[in-house]
Amino acid sequence: MAEKTAKIEVRNVSKLFGKQQKKALAFIKEGKSKQEILEQTGVAVGVYDVNFDVQPGEIFVIMGLSGSGKSTLLRMLNRLIEPTSGEIYIDGVDLVKMKDEELRDLRRKKISMVFQRFALLPHRTVLQNAAYGLEIQGMEESERKSKAQQALELVGLKGWEDSFPDELSGGMQQRVGLARALANDPDVLLMDEAFSALDPLIRKDMQDELLALQSTMEKTIIFITHDLDEALRIGDRIALMKDGKIVQLGTPEEILMNPSNAYVERFVEDIDLSRVLTAAHVMVRPETMGIDKGPRVALQLMRDRGISSIYIVDRKKLLLGVVTAQDASRAIEKGLVLQDILISDVPTVPLDRLLTDLFDLVANTSVPVAVIDEEGRIKGVLIRGAILGALAGNKDAISLDEATSTKREVG
Amino acid sequence: MGELLPKIPVDRAVESVLDFFLTYFEGFFRLLSKNLASFVELLVSMLNFFPSIVLILLLCALAWYARSWQFALFTGLGLLFIENIGYWKHTMDTVALVLTAVTISIVIGVPIGILSAQRDGVRKVVTPILDFMQTMPAFVYLIPAIFFFGLGVVPGIVASVIFAMPPTIRLTNLGIRQVPADLVEVADAFGSTSKQKLLKVQLPLAMPTIMAGVNQSIMLALSMVVIASMIGAPGLGAEVYRAVTQLKIGSGFEAGLAIVVLAIVLDRFTQNIKKK
């Protein structure tokens, strides 16, 4: 990570609310708790000494319960809230030192925001809402209309341009909010609990859509949520906040598997693992054999390893099919070659398929399900025992390294 | 009590302030008075330009367009009734007075309301002044108004403005303060200047509340017409005043009824502008 230039660098950023800030800062340095400081100085510590980098094209999730300071932190990234101290660099320029005009320009062109309760202007049509950011830049009407139109099409709202926000469902309203943010073509998207006000099914759709959009847009997204499921689903990395501080920062897997302290552990203990773990986490090493070998070799290999079927690959390791022990011995009797007994109709799943979507498939097939990468190379197989072991929280059944590295490829 | 502490000379202080203004700003007040008078005159002659029946029909059409046929019907019947009992010209005088007072209230009141919504300091200064304007009995400032503006319609307008402007200021302030915080954040987050924020977000969203304030101002201005007539403002108020002083109970009631009809018509018209 370190070798790339970070899009956003947050350095020692704090936000205190109240009058006796110097005294409070001294107390913080002494290590007093948020509660003690509030009682003794009347100063509320919103965010304290937060540091992180966000890479270009990354979805960086800031997660925490209400009052953890996550919304305050997000609003400091476009200075809707002024930091008390610290520096925030965007493309290497310190945002905190910017003059009003520079800041306005930054907000117009580089950073857009999506709001929790959509925050659409009720007196404007969908199209006018989506064009708001362009309008205040002074863009000509025809140009901003066509750009806003494009943004609306991107989020699937073609045909709704002339409706008013109150005629739309919550999910659609937030699409307008997203379109408004995208219309400026910003580098950075700040999303403040953007999907929290939506019902669970719509929320999942929106998450998928955001990921799909992100795969083509490559924006840098800072996403606030209090929902761990959401954080795990969409985050490349997650920062977990408590009492204004980041208590853990890492990939979803790292946070889930190695909670850095009791607080994080409590946070993640209720998570439904089947919605987090993917095929890549639970697959085991596959037994494969080249297609150019004969049925005798296949049978011998299966006997040695104590298995009843073996996967056949070509020289490039592409999966061709599976051969069962029964068929292999039949082939030896009748003098057939491997191609004749190859079952090419093998159930396969991609690496990033969630466990929850695998149960049916695994339960209903006779041969183990193959896990393949994008090129069709076999990466592993799914065995019922391993899946159950992973769900039971048995860490040996979960291969973190593989999953982490493949998630990057996939995502 | 009185022996322990000498009386604070509020009365003499007020009088010397008045004297000061009368001495040094006489020209200014005279000019203001002249302009206001000619504005009202212009308005009256515009209203009397059409024969009454044409104006009534026009207003009916407008009422239909702005609201409903029921309201159009009421407007038509009400205004025809006023015409029938012979108070048309007086009604137009009153309309001119009220419209002038309300226009001044809006022109001065809305910007003050906006300022006090944006700055707590301004609001803290403005609020007690508004309380003062609304509760100080009108008769107290009616006489000084004559000193400054002479007899006639102008002091009546000034008195109406003093009494009628506060709701416009208060509700403009309230309307802007009530714009949801996240919509104000939207304006800021997308890089609006404060003028853009005001014109594109705050004022449009505050408009229904501001219009409620304007509506209240109209009603209060109407309620001042009888008092204004005591210092020479023409119109329905003058008719009521004359009838009452001459104990003509019947015609006093007629003129009063005309004020009620006018009030209802004006109220319904301005209540509706927000819903367009």
Side-chain angles (χ1 to χ4, degrees):
Chain A
M1 292 271 176
E3 67 272 16
K4 279 195 282 181
T5 359
K7 186 81 191 167
I8 300 172
E9 296 162 66
V10 175
R11 294 284 172 270
N12 311 104
V13 165
S14 299
K15 177 66 190 180
L16 309 179
F17 298 96
K19 286 187 178 149
Q20 302 185 50
Q21 302 203 342
K22 271 189 190 153
K23 205 167 153 193
L25 274 175
F27 279 171
I28 295 171
K29 286 193 183 112
E30 286 167 26
K32 292 197 173 168
S33 79
K34 196 174 165 174
Q35 192 61 36
E36 279 177 302
I37 294 169
L38 183 64
E39 278 164 13
Q40 291 176 26
T41 66
V43 171
V45 180
V47 169
Y48 182 68
D49 198 26
V50 162
N51 287 282
F52 61 85
D53 289 352
V54 184
Q55 306 302 328
E58 185 177 28
I59 301 185
F60 188 86
V61 175
I62 301 172
M63 196 182 73
L65 301 174
S66 56
S68 63
K70 55 189 193 303
S71 279
T72 306
L73 179 56
L74 187 78
R75 279 166 172 69
M76 287 195 282
L77 299 182
N78 64 354
R79 265 177 64 190
L80 281 180
I81 294 178
E82 296 283 345
T84 305
S85 64
E87 291 121 51
I88 299 167
Y89 296 95
I90 293 198
D91 291 328
V93 182
D94 188 357
L95 182 75
V96 183
K97 292 200 179 73
M98 278 186 182
K99 298 201 175 62
D100 284 357
E101 206 148 314
E102 293 170 88
L103 180 65
R104 208 151 51 222
D105 206 49
L106 180 91
R107 288 170 174 176
R108 287 179 176 185
K109 308 226 165 98
K110 234 177 203 175
I111 299 186
S112 285
M113 193 159 174
V114 182
F115 293 81
Q116 178 172 11
R117 305 229 49 110
F118 324 138
L120 302 178
L121 301 171
H123 60 289
R124 288 168 161 245
T125 64
V126 165
L127 186 68
Q128 288 168 338
N129 262 292
Y132 180 80
L134 303 171
E135 185 182 324
I136 58 173
Q137 290 176 26
M139 187 181 283
E140 253 183 69
E141 189 171 358
S142 59
E143 195 185 350
R144 69 175 189 244
K145 270 190 176 169
S146 85
K147 283 201 173 178
Q149 179 74 40
Q150 281 170 21
L152 285 172
E153 279 172 30
L154 205 60
V155 299
L157 278 182
K158 199 180 157 115
W160 292 91
E161 296 82 0
D162 297 326
S163 307
F164 281 90
D166 61 1
E167 296 164 5
L168 268 56
S169 69
M172 289 163 85
Q173 288 189 34
Q174 192 55 301
R175 281 165 204 263
V176 180
L178 194 56
R180 174 174 63 188
L182 293 175
N184 305 9
D185 194 26
D187 296 352
V188 179
L189 271 185
L190 304 179
M191 304 187 71
D192 181 22
E193 302 228 20
F195 304 148
S196 299
L198 305 173
D199 69 58
L201 283 177
I202 308 286
R203 191 186 312 166
K204 192 164 172 289
D205 286 348
M206 291 294 286
Q207 291 163 357
D208 289 341
E209 202 148 331
L210 181 70
L211 290 173
L213 282 171
Q214 173 66 355
S215 67
T216 58
M217 296 186 311
E218 290 280 306
K219 304 282 183 204
T220 303
I221 300 178
I222 321 273
F223 194 105
I224 297 275
T225 183
H226 61 255
D227 175 4
L228 184 63
D229 272 322
E230 185 165 74
L232 296 170
R233 259 178 76 89
I234 66 171
D236 290 323
R237 283 188 304 150
I238 299 171
L240 224 120
M241 285 190 79
K242 186 193 180 223
D243 292 345
K245 295 180 197 159
I246 291 181
V247 288
Q248 189 172 8
L249 198 163
T251 63
E253 287 83 1
E254 283 163 11
I255 289 200
L256 207 56
M257 296 308 155
N258 299 305
S260 69
N261 61 30
Y263 176 76
V264 184
E265 202 162 328
R266 244 189 50 223
F267 217 109
V268 301
E269 72 186 356
D270 291 333
I271 195 75
D272 178 359
L273 283 171
S274 72
R275 292 177 183 284
V276 180
L277 298 176
T278 63
H281 288 111
V282 296
M283 64 191 184
V284 297
R285 211 169 63 82
E287 298 299 341
T288 59
M289 193 185 83
I291 184 75
D292 47 345
K293 307 281 195 319
R296 275 171 212 284
V297 183
L299 196 59
Q300 186 59 46
L301 271 174
M302 284 187 262
R303 277 200 189 122
D304 287 353
R305 311 253 156 94
I307 49 179
S308 61
S309 59
I310 192 163
Y311 288 93
I312 307 300
V313 294
D314 68 8
R315 276 161 199 269
K316 288 179 185 159
K317 286 270 182 184
L318 289 179
L319 179 66
L320 296 173
V322 69
V323 164
T324 63
Q326 220 176 355
D327 287 345
S329 57
R330 190 167 51 92
I332 295 165
E333 279 168 30
K334 297 189 177 168
L336 300 173
V337 291
L338 214 51
Q339 275 90 341
D340 298 327
I341 54 165
L342 186 71
I343 306 167
S344 54
D345 183 23
V346 187
T348 61
V349 293
L351 286 161
D352 59 347
R353 178 70 56 87
L354 289 175
L355 234 53
T356 177
D357 303 325
L358 287 175
F359 296 138
D360 260 7
L361 195 64
V362 172
N364 294 325
T365 51
S366 49
V367 289
V369 175
V371 183
I372 55 169
D373 66 10
E374 281 155 334
E375 279 85 38
R377 286 185 299 241
I378 184 161
K379 287 295 197 182
V381 294
L382 296 175
I383 297 170
R384 279 169 223 176
I387 294 178
L388 293 176
L391 283 181
N394 178 0
K395 285 187 184 159
D396 297 338
I398 300 167
S399 66
L400 258 187
D401 299 341
E402 183 73 11
T404 314
S405 65
T406 51
K407 186 166 192 317
R408 293 266 157 250
E409 286 171 30
V410 177
Chain B
M1 245 353 224
E3 282 106 50
L4 282 176
L5 261 176
K7 177 180 174 287
I8 302 168
V10 176
D11 47 357
R12 264 177 289 143
V14 170
E15 276 158 23
S16 55
V17 167
L18 279 180
D19 276 345
F20 173 79
F21 275 100
L22 278 173
T23 323
Y24 294 98
F25 292 91
E26 202 194 352
F28 168 75
F29 286 115
R30 193 143 301 160
L31 192 71
L32 190 68
S33 176
K34 227 173 119 190
N35 283 325
L36 269 177
S38 45
F39 181 78
V40 176
E41 225 167 275
L42 180 74
L43 216 54
V44 170
S45 57
M46 272 166 62
L47 288 168
N48 287 325
F49 177 75
F50 300 107
S52 55
I53 187 70
V54 176
L55 196 58
I56 292 173
L57 283 175
L58 272 175
L59 286 170
C60 280
L62 197 61
W64 197 339
Y65 171 74
R67 225 179 149 92
S68 62
W69 66 266
Q70 289 98 329
F71 176 49
L73 186 69
F74 176 84
T75 305
L77 290 178
L79 295 180
L80 281 173
F81 169 71
I82 291 176
E83 161 77 350
N84 175 265
I85 57 176
Y87 283 108
W88 183 258
K89 242 201 119 290
H90 303 114
T91 305
M92 290 306 108
D93 285 342
T94 297
V95 168
L97 187 148
V98 169
L99 286 187
T100 309
V102 171
T103 306
I104 295 172
S105 298
I106 294 172
V107 169
I108 300 175
V110 170
I112 293 179
I114 291 170
L115 272 179
S116 46
Q118 287 171 337
R119 302 215 166 92
D120 279 332
V122 175
R123 187 179 57 100
K124 278 178 192 154
V125 174
V126 165
T127 308
I129 296 177
L130 297 183
D131 296 336
F132 183 90
M133 287 162 71
Q134 284 190 299
T135 50
M136 179 59 84
F139 292 100
V140 174
Y141 51 78
L142 222 45
I143 306 306
I146 299 175
F147 292 162
F148 286 107
F149 301 103
L151 282 169
V153 72
V154 176
I157 288 172
V158 172
S160 301
V161 167
I162 291 174
F163 189 58
M165 191 162 58
T168 295
I169 298 177
R170 284 188 209 275
L171 287 166
T172 301
N173 168 52
L174 181 72
I176 289 180
R177 282 177 188 268
Q178 278 180 338
V179 171
D182 55 351
L183 295 184
V184 177
E185 268 194 333
V186 166
D188 286 332
F190 282 89
S192 314
T193 59
S194 12
K195 191 177 151 202
Q196 287 172 327
K197 180 162 75 174
L198 183 68
L199 293 180
K200 292 177 192 292
V201 178
Q202 291 173 311
L203 276 183
L205 288 166
M207 202 42 87
T209 314
I210 296 176
M211 280 315 296
V214 171
N215 176 272
Q216 284 303 302
S217 288
I218 291 178
M219 295 294 112
L220 290 182
L222 259 177
S223 73
M224 279 293 280
V225 294
V226 174
I227 293 176
S229 74
M230 291 175 180
I231 47 174
L236 291 169
E239 292 308 299
V240 172
Y241 185 54
R242 205 182 54 196
V244 169
T245 49
Q246 295 173 4
L247 282 177
K248 289 185 180 165
I249 293 165
S251 53
F253 199 80
E254 278 179 349
L257 218 53
I259 293 179
V260 172
V261 170
L262 182 62
I264 295 177
V265 170
L266 284 176
D267 175 67
R268 301 302 188 273
F269 261 117
T270 46
Q271 265 188 8
N272 196 59
I273 291 173
K274 64 193 176 195
K275 287 179 202 143
K276 267 201 58 190

